[in-house]
Amino acid sequence: MERLTHDSYVTSVRLAEIKLALSRSLKARRQKVMTQVELAERIHSSQPRVAKAENGDASVSIELLIRAMLATGVTLQEIGKVIAEAG
């Protein structure tokens, strides 16, 4: 098993923090504008996958989180702000 260097560990932790911040933001925004089913349809995914995204499941990619947020009407600037505030 490969040991993580300090820098790799810090990077992994920061990435996890960014994904959690995006997940929280997605859930808050999505609840205001549509259901999980509606969002899933817009991003060509499934309702369970949207639920995982909103709950910070580690298997969900940043790409999916960003696509989902954009589908709710969030701007790239707002996504950038969420990412900046997570770090």
Side-chain angles (χ1 to χ4, degrees):
M1 184 172 179
E2 182 181 327
R3 285 187 143 193
L4 288 177
T5 65
H6 175 73
D7 289 343
S8 294
Y9 174 76
V10 169
T11 299
S12 295
V13 169
R14 291 185 77 198
L15 183 59
E17 289 171 351
I18 289 168
K19 287 175 75 172
L20 286 172
L22 289 170
S23 294
R24 287 190 294 269
S25 180
L26 170 62
K27 185 173 186 174
R29 173 67 183 206
R30 195 265 319 146
Q31 288 177 332
K32 293 178 184 177
V33 296
M34 68 186 72
T35 67
Q36 288 182 343
V37 171
E38 290 168 328
L39 178 56
E41 289 171 357
R42 285 190 187 188
I43 63 171
H44 306 289
S45 190
S46 66
Q47 179 276 324
R49 196 77 183 136
V50 169
K52 284 183 178 188
E54 290 182 353
N55 290 314
D57 189 291
S59 70
V60 176
S61 68
I62 285 183
E63 188 259 342
L64 179 67
L65 288 165
I66 291 173
R67 278 193 305 122
M69 290 181 73
L70 290 171
T72 68
V74 172
T75 66
L76 290 175
Q77 290 77 16
E78 290 170 309
I79 292 170
K81 185 177 179 186
V82 169
I83 291 170
E85 289 174 354

